[in-house]
Amino acid sequence: MRLTPLVIAATSVALVAPAAAQADSPTSRTPSAPGVSVPGGRYEHAVELTFRAERGTTVRYTLDGTTPTRDSRAYSPGRPLRIKKDTNVTAAAFRGDRSSVPVARGYLIRTREKPLARLVVMSDVHVGSHATADKKYESFFDTIGSVFPRPDAILSNGDMINDNGDGKGPDHRIVSEIFQKELARKGMTGTQLLISNGNHDASLAAIRAGYPRAWFPDSGGGYYESDVKGLHVLTVNTETYDADTAQRTWLKKRLAAITSDRAYRGKPVLVQGHRPTTGTTMDGQQASNPGLAQDLSAFPQAILFSGHSHLNINDDRSIHQRDFTSVNDGSMSYVEVDHGYQMVTEKGLADRFETPTAQALFVEVYKDRTEIARVNMAADPHDIYTGGQWSANWQPPYASAGTLAGSTWTVRLKGSTSRRIKENFRYTDTARNTVAPRFTTRKPLSRVRDAEGGTALRIAQAEDDQMVHHYDVAITDAATGAPVVSSRVLSDFTFVPRPNVLDIPVPGAVRGGRYVARVVAVDAYGNASPAASLTFRK
């Protein structure tokens, strides 16, 4: 948050070209990424951006999350780019046939209206060592500070460590050391930190031993109540909830008392619990504790934040309303998508449902609404497998830190009765998006050569009002009708910037062979575009 317009010196990302390239002439080497005059973050006014790049280069940019190309809009020096609404700005420098690494910045544009409280909601930290986490969390807290320099609270919603019954409870102290260091470094001395218990947190005793008492002030059952700037925040223990009669009684009693207080009317009751409850976010994936859904059903003022699934927050199914509001808070270690899809990797199509990206929610509670911004801590394009080994420990600097993972969700509790509040919910099953993606180029499919000289089908990415989730890709041998490729290929929507094209390898293509491709773009709700078709030869 930056409250006054400031003239901020341009910054640049330090990218070192390979030694051989440095020895080449300036016109033949890859340009460095451009700098931008105003860093990403939350602003209470429009921002005007200027770019700085190497002499002899042209800066091109996009405002829709895609990767800049030579056809993208060119920046004109001396004519600032004015950003008046929430936007991801991605820029790259071009010289001849070479372009820099694209760098993205996220801008949240707000008014000067002051919220009642600002909270960061994160989960699934999964820290096990200083060596892999120190630099990451230095970057992550820099991102937090760019949005909320002084958050009123940080909710860390379970799975702080990665214990699997193997005695890693002391790792909580590592997380505590990292978080305390970063809170002090960023001057967040008044920020409350509130932790919930997750299935990888060893035990309640290990949590209590690992953190300051104020971070986990339970009375023995892993659940407790907090006051954040006058807002009620209830932390539940989803590892025991349905079988814990005392906890269930406590939650219902507190919700009844809070929501019956006329002075609290219109304000949300924030609930954090590690596991999502049944029939709510992401179509109920990885959910548990039906008793929690039952107990919350009488209280539409409740907003439940949950993690555990690692499911991404790019997907608008991550917010759900029926009897109350449920919000998936993503993951700080790596994110997942629905199973059963493939991704394009350096080795071709591969079964993937994970990416080494990190996300969190930035929540602002106002008198008449709650705004929930979706922010990437890191969303650089990487495969979760490196050198054949699974790894989510990509280290900073991140070219995508602070970018937006989607539009801001706004929750309003309009109505004097529970029935009326529910009637005014907007993120319901009946209000699901029905707009289908569409291909916007005249020829969205083409045949290209891949890096190894093989044949690939290139898909020019379709557009959607929210996001394209995946493509149904079918490639057949025209002579025999035999399937060559039959796959649901993810659009790489978790990455910033998103690639403009996807190259689908055609394995075993025979020289002179003739093939037929059919591709359909599909969004997260199953809305499908008309099919694009191409007949091609190797």
Side-chain angles (χ1 to χ4, degrees):
M1 176 184 68
R2 295 167 182 83
L3 303 182
T4 57
L6 298 176
V7 177
I8 303 174
T11 58
S12 63
V13 176
L15 295 175
V16 180
Q22 290 179 348
D24 294 339
S25 67
T27 58
S28 64
R29 62 180 172 83
T30 299
S32 297
V36 62
S37 61
V38 181
R42 180 190 184 277
Y43 293 85
E44 295 181 353
H45 52 79
V47 296
E48 293 190 344
L49 309 181
T50 59
F51 298 101
R52 186 182 68 187
E54 295 175 353
R55 185 182 299 273
T57 62
T58 299
V59 175
R60 296 185 180 276
Y61 64 90
T62 65
L63 304 178
D64 61 358
T66 58
T67 303
T69 68
R70 286 172 184 77
D71 295 326
S72 299
R73 189 175 305 173
Y75 166 70
S76 298
R79 299 182 62 183
L81 172 63
R82 187 173 176 83
I83 304 299
K84 299 186 291 185
K85 61 181 181 179
D86 295 357
T87 308
N88 278 338
V89 178
T90 307
F94 291 81
R95 180 195 291 118
D97 61 354
R98 296 175 180 267
S99 64
S100 73
V101 171
V103 176
R105 299 287 184 267
Y107 297 90
L108 289 165
I109 308 300
R110 299 290 181 263
T111 69
R112 295 187 183 274
E113 179 185 5
K114 304 304 178 190
L116 303 176
R118 298 184 175 100
L119 306 93
V120 181
V121 185
M122 63 173 70
S123 70
D124 297 274
V125 168
H126 287 291
V127 163
S129 74
H130 283 287
T132 58
D134 282 6
K135 288 297 183 182
K136 288 177 67 172
Y137 275 85
E138 182 177 321
S139 174
F140 292 172
F141 270 82
D142 284 344
T143 295
I144 291 172
S146 74
V147 182
F148 294 162
R150 303 291 185 273
D152 298 304
I154 296 175
L155 310 187
S156 195
N157 201 2
D159 280 5
M160 304 291 284
I161 64 171
N162 198 36
D163 183 271
N164 293 288
D166 48 1
K168 293 184 178 178
D171 286 355
H172 281 292
R173 292 197 180 98
I174 298 174
V175 187
S176 181
E177 291 165 0
I178 293 171
F179 277 41
Q180 289 190 73
K181 176 184 176 182
E182 292 305 321
L183 288 168
R185 182 178 69 87
K186 300 301 292 184
M188 298 177 182
T189 54
T191 299
Q192 297 184 63
L193 209 150
L194 305 173
I195 295 171
S196 75
N197 178 38
N199 56 298
H200 289 289
D201 283 323
S203 67
L204 297 180
I207 298 175
R208 296 186 199 109
Y211 302 99
R213 173 66 177 165
W215 293 13
F216 190 67
D218 77 316
S219 298
Y223 56 92
Y224 59 92
E225 181 173 354
S226 307
D227 181 292
V228 177
K229 298 290 291 287
L231 293 177
H232 292 278
V233 180
L234 306 178
T235 298
V236 297
N237 182 3
T238 57
E239 300 312 295
T240 62
Y241 188 84
D242 272 15
D244 188 344
T245 302
Q247 182 178 183
R248 294 185 67 174
T249 299
W250 166 81
L251 180 64
K252 289 183 286 186
K253 183 178 292 187
R254 289 305 301 137
L255 286 169
I258 295 165
T259 56
S260 65
D261 181 356
R262 295 181 64 86
Y264 203 78
R265 179 174 293 175
K267 298 179 182 178
V269 183
L270 306 183
V271 183
Q272 72 162 338
H274 180 62
R275 297 179 189 251
T277 190
T278 53
T280 57
T281 59
M282 293 299 288
D283 293 334
Q285 295 181 64
Q286 301 190 41
S288 60
N289 293 304
L292 180 57
Q294 177 184 333
D295 294 344
L296 291 173
S297 64
F299 304 101
Q301 301 92 331
I303 301 178
L304 171 67
F305 294 100
S306 62
H308 179 66
S309 67
H310 291 239
L311 289 166
N312 66 94
I313 57 176
N314 309 72
D315 194 322
D316 279 86
R317 292 176 296 165
S318 279
I319 186 169
H320 178 273
Q321 292 179 308
R322 183 171 52 242
D323 297 317
F324 55 95
T325 303
S326 292
V327 186
N328 164 37
D329 59 41
S331 165
M332 292 289 281
S333 52
Y334 64 91
V335 305
E336 297 186 9
V337 297
D338 319 62
H339 293 207
Y341 296 88
Q342 293 189 306
M343 290 185 185
V344 178
T345 73
E346 290 184 359
K347 297 185 180 298
L349 286 181
D351 294 337
R352 294 282 191 273
F353 59 88
E354 302 154 314
T355 63
T357 59
Q359 302 175 320
L361 301 174
F362 287 72
V363 180
E364 296 181 83
V365 180
Y366 293 87
K367 292 180 180 180
D368 62 344
R369 68 196 186 281
T370 299
E371 296 187 354
I372 305 171
R374 300 176 266 175
V375 176
N376 294 310
M377 299 291 159
D380 294 9
H382 291 300
D383 190 358
I384 198 81
Y385 284 88
T386 56
Q389 299 296 314
W390 190 97
S391 174
N393 286 319
W394 288 93
Q395 294 293 303
Y398 304 116
S400 57
T403 53
L404 310 183
S407 59
T408 294
W409 295 317
T410 300
V411 176
R412 297 182 185 273
L413 303 175
K414 296 173 61 177
S416 57
T417 65
S418 293
R419 181 177 64 82
R420 292 303 303 273
I421 293 173
K422 293 179 184 181
E423 288 175 350
N424 287 310
F425 279 166
R426 62 181 293 190
Y427 302 104
T428 62
D429 290 338
T430 56
R432 281 189 162 198
N433 182 285
T434 58
V435 178
R438 63 190 183 95
F439 290 105
T440 57
T441 59
R442 190 169 61 87
K443 295 182 178 181
L445 306 182
S446 59
R447 192 217 68 172
V448 297
R449 296 291 184 193
D450 61 25
E452 298 179 355
T455 297
L457 174 71
R458 173 163 291 177
I459 303 172
Q461 292 236 42
E463 294 182 0
D464 188 65
D465 62 327
Q466 291 183 343
M467 69 176 197
V468 177
H469 184 269
H470 69 275
Y471 296 89
D472 288 337
V473 180
I475 304 175
T476 58
D477 185 311
T480 66
V484 178
V485 174
S486 180
S487 178
R488 298 190 298 172
V489 182
L490 291 165
S491 72
D492 284 350
F493 59 82
T494 60
F495 297 139
V496 178
R498 186 175 71 255
N500 299 309
V501 298
L502 298 174
D503 289 345
I504 312 300
V506 184
V510 177
R511 182 170 298 279
R514 192 161 162 268
Y515 300 90
V516 178
R518 183 180 186 276
V519 177
V520 175
V522 187
D523 70 13
Y525 294 101
N527 301 307
S529 73
S533 300
L534 176 71
T535 299
F536 62 96
R537 293 184 182 274
K538 179 177 178 182

Short mmCIF file of all heavy atoms in Angstrom, two decimals, residues 147-184:
data_model
loop_
_atom_site.label_atom_id
_atom_site.label_comp_id
_atom_site.label_asym_id
_atom_site.label_seq_id
_atom_site.Cartn_x
_atom_site.Cartn_y
_atom_site.Cartn_z
N VAL A 147 2.01 -5.13 -0.90
CA VAL A 147 0.54 -5.04 -0.91
C VAL A 147 0.03 -4.47 0.41
O VAL A 147 -0.72 -3.49 0.44
CB VAL A 147 -0.09 -6.41 -1.19
CG1 VAL A 147 -1.62 -6.30 -1.26
CG2 VAL A 147 0.45 -7.01 -2.49
N PHE A 148 0.44 -5.08 1.51
CA PHE A 148 0.08 -4.61 2.85
C PHE A 148 1.37 -4.35 3.63
O PHE A 148 1.93 -5.28 4.24
CB PHE A 148 -0.74 -5.66 3.60
CG PHE A 148 -2.11 -5.96 3.05
CD1 PHE A 148 -2.76 -7.13 3.42
CD2 PHE A 148 -2.76 -5.09 2.19
CE1 PHE A 148 -4.02 -7.44 2.94
CE2 PHE A 148 -4.02 -5.38 1.70
CZ PHE A 148 -4.66 -6.56 2.08
N PRO A 149 1.88 -3.12 3.66
CA PRO A 149 3.10 -2.87 4.43
C PRO A 149 2.96 -3.22 5.91
O PRO A 149 3.93 -3.65 6.53
CB PRO A 149 3.33 -1.36 4.23
CG PRO A 149 2.66 -1.05 2.93
CD PRO A 149 1.46 -1.94 2.88
N ARG A 150 1.77 -3.05 6.46
CA ARG A 150 1.54 -3.38 7.87
C ARG A 150 0.24 -4.17 7.99
O ARG A 150 -0.77 -3.65 8.47
CB ARG A 150 1.46 -2.12 8.72
CG ARG A 150 2.67 -1.21 8.66
CD ARG A 150 3.89 -1.82 9.33
NE ARG A 150 5.00 -0.88 9.36
CZ ARG A 150 5.89 -0.74 8.38
NH1 ARG A 150 5.79 -1.49 7.29
NH2 ARG A 150 6.87 0.14 8.48
N PRO A 151 0.21 -5.43 7.58
CA PRO A 151 -1.04 -6.19 7.71
C PRO A 151 -1.44 -6.31 9.17
O PRO A 151 -0.58 -6.40 10.07
CB PRO A 151 -0.68 -7.56 7.11
CG PRO A 151 0.81 -7.65 7.18
CD PRO A 151 1.32 -6.25 7.07
N ASP A 152 -2.72 -6.29 9.43
CA ASP A 152 -3.20 -6.44 10.81
C ASP A 152 -3.01 -7.87 11.30
O ASP A 152 -2.79 -8.09 12.49
CB ASP A 152 -4.67 -6.03 10.89
CG ASP A 152 -4.87 -4.57 10.53
OD1 ASP A 152 -4.23 -3.71 11.18
OD2 ASP A 152 -5.63 -4.28 9.58
N ALA A 153 -3.10 -8.82 10.37
CA ALA A 153 -2.89 -10.23 10.76
C ALA A 153 -2.44 -11.03 9.56
O ALA A 153 -2.77 -10.70 8.41
CB ALA A 153 -4.17 -10.82 11.35
N ILE A 154 -1.68 -12.06 9.83
CA ILE A 154 -1.36 -13.09 8.84
C ILE A 154 -1.90 -14.40 9.38
O ILE A 154 -1.53 -14.83 10.48
CB ILE A 154 0.16 -13.20 8.61
CG1 ILE A 154 0.72 -11.90 8.00
CG2 ILE A 154 0.47 -14.38 7.70
CD1 ILE A 154 2.22 -11.89 7.86
N LEU A 155 -2.82 -14.99 8.63
CA LEU A 155 -3.36 -16.29 9.00
C LEU A 155 -2.57 -17.35 8.24
O LEU A 155 -2.58 -17.35 7.01
CB LEU A 155 -4.84 -16.40 8.66
CG LEU A 155 -5.77 -15.26 9.12
CD1 LEU A 155 -7.23 -15.63 8.84
CD2 LEU A 155 -5.58 -14.94 10.59
N SER A 156 -1.87 -18.22 8.96
CA SER A 156 -1.13 -19.30 8.32
C SER A 156 -1.88 -20.59 8.61
O SER A 156 -1.83 -21.12 9.73
CB SER A 156 0.31 -19.36 8.83
OG SER A 156 1.09 -20.16 7.97
N ASN A 157 -2.58 -21.06 7.59
CA ASN A 157 -3.69 -21.99 7.77
C ASN A 157 -3.27 -23.46 7.65
O ASN A 157 -3.80 -24.21 6.83
CB ASN A 157 -4.78 -21.64 6.75
CG ASN A 157 -6.14 -22.15 7.15
OD1 ASN A 157 -6.32 -22.75 8.19
ND2 ASN A 157 -7.11 -21.92 6.29
N GLY A 158 -2.31 -23.87 8.46
CA GLY A 158 -1.98 -25.29 8.56
C GLY A 158 -0.88 -25.76 7.64
O GLY A 158 -0.57 -25.17 6.62
N ASP A 159 -0.28 -26.88 8.03
CA ASP A 159 0.86 -27.49 7.33
C ASP A 159 2.02 -26.52 7.23
O ASP A 159 2.56 -26.24 6.16
CB ASP A 159 0.46 -28.00 5.94
CG ASP A 159 -0.24 -29.35 6.00
OD1 ASP A 159 -0.51 -29.83 7.12
OD2 ASP A 159 -0.52 -29.91 4.94
N MET A 160 2.45 -26.05 8.38
CA MET A 160 3.63 -25.19 8.45
C MET A 160 4.89 -25.97 8.11
O MET A 160 5.84 -25.43 7.56
CB MET A 160 3.76 -24.58 9.85
CG MET A 160 2.54 -23.81 10.31
SD MET A 160 2.29 -22.28 9.41
CE MET A 160 3.55 -21.25 10.14
N ILE A 161 4.91 -27.26 8.48
CA ILE A 161 6.06 -28.11 8.22
C ILE A 161 5.60 -29.31 7.39
O ILE A 161 4.45 -29.37 6.95
CB ILE A 161 6.74 -28.56 9.52
CG1 ILE A 161 5.79 -29.45 10.36
CG2 ILE A 161 7.21 -27.37 10.33
CD1 ILE A 161 6.46 -30.11 11.55
N ASN A 162 6.48 -30.26 7.20
CA ASN A 162 6.16 -31.42 6.37
C ASN A 162 6.42 -32.71 7.14
O ASN A 162 7.18 -33.58 6.71
CB ASN A 162 6.97 -31.40 5.07
CG ASN A 162 6.38 -32.30 4.01
OD1 ASN A 162 5.17 -32.43 3.90
ND2 ASN A 162 7.23 -32.94 3.24
N ASP A 163 5.76 -32.86 8.27
CA ASP A 163 5.89 -34.06 9.08
C ASP A 163 4.93 -35.13 8.56
O ASP A 163 3.77 -34.87 8.30
CB ASP A 163 5.57 -33.75 10.54
CG ASP A 163 5.76 -34.96 11.43
OD1 ASP A 163 4.79 -35.74 11.60
OD2 ASP A 163 6.88 -35.12 11.94
N ASN A 164 5.46 -36.33 8.41
CA ASN A 164 4.66 -37.48 7.98
C ASN A 164 4.79 -38.61 9.00
O ASN A 164 5.01 -39.76 8.65
CB ASN A 164 5.11 -37.97 6.60
CG ASN A 164 4.81 -36.96 5.52
OD1 ASN A 164 3.66 -36.78 5.14
ND2 ASN A 164 5.85 -36.29 5.02
N GLY A 165 4.69 -38.23 10.28
CA GLY A 165 4.88 -39.22 11.33
C GLY A 165 6.32 -39.61 11.51
O GLY A 165 6.62 -40.67 12.06
N ASP A 166 7.25 -38.75 11.05
CA ASP A 166 8.67 -39.09 11.08
C ASP A 166 9.48 -38.16 11.97
O ASP A 166 10.66 -37.91 11.73
CB ASP A 166 9.26 -39.11 9.67
CG ASP A 166 8.89 -37.89 8.83
OD1 ASP A 166 8.19 -37.00 9.36
OD2 ASP A 166 9.29 -37.82 7.67
N GLY A 167 8.83 -37.61 12.99
CA GLY A 167 9.56 -36.88 14.02
C GLY A 167 10.07 -35.51 13.64
O GLY A 167 11.09 -35.06 14.19
N LYS A 168 9.39 -34.81 12.72
CA LYS A 168 9.89 -33.51 12.28
C LYS A 168 9.25 -32.35 13.03
O LYS A 168 9.35 -31.20 12.61
CB LYS A 168 9.68 -33.35 10.79
CG LYS A 168 10.54 -34.30 9.96
CD LYS A 168 10.39 -34.05 8.47
CE LYS A 168 11.30 -34.99 7.68
NZ LYS A 168 11.14 -34.80 6.21
N GLY A 169 8.60 -32.63 14.16
CA GLY A 169 7.97 -31.57 14.94
C GLY A 169 8.87 -30.40 15.25
O GLY A 169 8.42 -29.23 15.21
N PRO A 170 10.17 -30.62 15.55
CA PRO A 170 11.06 -29.48 15.83
C PRO A 170 11.22 -28.51 14.65
O PRO A 170 11.70 -27.39 14.84
CB PRO A 170 12.39 -30.15 16.17
CG PRO A 170 12.00 -31.49 16.73
CD PRO A 170 10.81 -31.90 15.91
N ASP A 171 10.83 -28.93 13.44
CA ASP A 171 10.92 -28.02 12.29
C ASP A 171 10.04 -26.78 12.48
O ASP A 171 10.26 -25.75 11.81
CB ASP A 171 10.53 -28.73 11.00
CG ASP A 171 11.60 -29.68 10.50
OD1 ASP A 171 12.70 -29.73 11.11
OD2 ASP A 171 11.35 -30.40 9.51
N HIS A 172 9.05 -26.87 13.38
CA HIS A 172 8.24 -25.68 13.65
C HIS A 172 9.11 -24.52 14.12
O HIS A 172 8.82 -23.35 13.84
CB HIS A 172 7.16 -25.98 14.68
CG HIS A 172 5.97 -26.71 14.11
ND1 HIS A 172 5.11 -26.13 13.22
CD2 HIS A 172 5.50 -27.97 14.31
CE1 HIS A 172 4.16 -27.00 12.88
NE2 HIS A 172 4.37 -28.12 13.53
N ARG A 173 10.17 -24.82 14.84
CA ARG A 173 11.06 -23.75 15.31
C ARG A 173 11.75 -23.05 14.14
O ARG A 173 12.02 -21.85 14.19
CB ARG A 173 12.10 -24.32 16.28
CG ARG A 173 11.52 -24.80 17.60
CD ARG A 173 12.59 -24.97 18.65
NE ARG A 173 12.03 -25.43 19.91
CZ ARG A 173 12.01 -26.70 20.31
NH1 ARG A 173 12.56 -27.63 19.54
NH2 ARG A 173 11.48 -27.04 21.46
N ILE A 174 12.04 -23.81 13.08
CA ILE A 174 12.65 -23.21 11.90
C ILE A 174 11.69 -22.20 11.28
O ILE A 174 12.07 -21.08 10.93
CB ILE A 174 13.04 -24.29 10.87
CG1 ILE A 174 14.07 -25.24 11.46
CG2 ILE A 174 13.54 -23.67 9.58
CD1 ILE A 174 14.40 -26.43 10.58
N VAL A 175 10.43 -22.60 11.14
CA VAL A 175 9.43 -21.69 10.58
C VAL A 175 9.30 -20.45 11.45
O VAL A 175 9.23 -19.32 10.95
CB VAL A 175 8.07 -22.38 10.43
CG1 VAL A 175 7.09 -21.48 9.69
CG2 VAL A 175 8.19 -23.71 9.71
N SER A 176 9.26 -20.67 12.76
CA SER A 176 9.13 -19.55 13.69
C SER A 176 10.29 -18.58 13.54
O SER A 176 10.10 -17.36 13.50
CB SER A 176 9.08 -20.07 15.13
OG SER A 176 8.92 -19.00 16.05
N GLU A 177 11.50 -19.10 13.41
CA GLU A 177 12.68 -18.24 13.25
C GLU A 177 12.60 -17.43 11.97
O GLU A 177 12.89 -16.23 11.95
CB GLU A 177 13.94 -19.10 13.27
CG GLU A 177 14.26 -19.71 14.63
CD GLU A 177 15.28 -20.83 14.55
OE1 GLU A 177 15.76 -21.14 13.43
OE2 GLU A 177 15.59 -21.41 15.61
N ILE A 178 12.19 -18.09 10.89
CA ILE A 178 12.09 -17.40 9.59
C ILE A 178 11.03 -16.32 9.65
O ILE A 178 11.26 -15.17 9.24
CB ILE A 178 11.78 -18.41 8.47
CG1 ILE A 178 12.96 -19.36 8.26
CG2 ILE A 178 11.44 -17.69 7.17
CD1 ILE A 178 12.67 -20.52 7.35
N PHE A 179 9.86 -16.65 10.18
CA PHE A 179 8.77 -15.68 10.21
C PHE A 179 9.09 -14.51 11.14
O PHE A 179 8.81 -13.35 10.80
CB PHE A 179 7.46 -16.36 10.62
CG PHE A 179 6.74 -17.06 9.50
CD1 PHE A 179 7.44 -17.79 8.56
CD2 PHE A 179 5.37 -16.98 9.37
CE1 PHE A 179 6.79 -18.44 7.51
CE2 PHE A 179 4.70 -17.62 8.33
CZ PHE A 179 5.42 -18.35 7.40
N GLN A 180 9.67 -14.79 12.29
CA GLN A 180 10.00 -13.70 13.21
C GLN A 180 11.05 -12.77 12.59
O GLN A 180 10.96 -11.54 12.72
CB GLN A 180 10.51 -14.27 14.54
CG GLN A 180 9.41 -14.93 15.36
CD GLN A 180 9.85 -15.28 16.75
OE1 GLN A 180 10.01 -14.41 17.60
NE2 GLN A 180 10.05 -16.57 17.02
N LYS A 181 12.02 -13.34 11.91
CA LYS A 181 13.04 -12.53 11.25
C LYS A 181 12.41 -11.63 10.18
O LYS A 181 12.73 -10.43 10.09
CB LYS A 181 14.09 -13.43 10.61
CG LYS A 181 15.15 -12.68 9.81
CD LYS A 181 16.11 -13.63 9.12
CE LYS A 181 17.10 -12.89 8.25
NZ LYS A 181 18.02 -13.82 7.53
N GLU A 182 11.51 -12.19 9.38
CA GLU A 182 10.91 -11.41 8.30
C GLU A 182 9.93 -10.37 8.82
O GLU A 182 9.86 -9.26 8.28
CB GLU A 182 10.23 -12.35 7.30
CG GLU A 182 11.19 -13.22 6.52
CD GLU A 182 12.27 -12.43 5.81
OE1 GLU A 182 11.96 -11.34 5.27
OE2 GLU A 182 13.43 -12.87 5.81
N LEU A 183 9.17 -10.69 9.85
CA LEU A 183 8.28 -9.69 10.44
C LEU A 183 9.09 -8.50 10.96
O LEU A 183 8.70 -7.34 10.77
CB LEU A 183 7.46 -10.31 11.56
CG LEU A 183 6.36 -11.29 11.15
CD1 LEU A 183 5.84 -12.05 12.37
CD2 LEU A 183 5.20 -10.56 10.46
N ALA A 184 10.22 -8.79 11.60
CA ALA A 184 11.07 -7.72 12.12
C ALA A 184 11.69 -6.93 10.97
O ALA A 184 11.74 -5.69 11.02
CB ALA A 184 12.14 -8.30 13.02
#
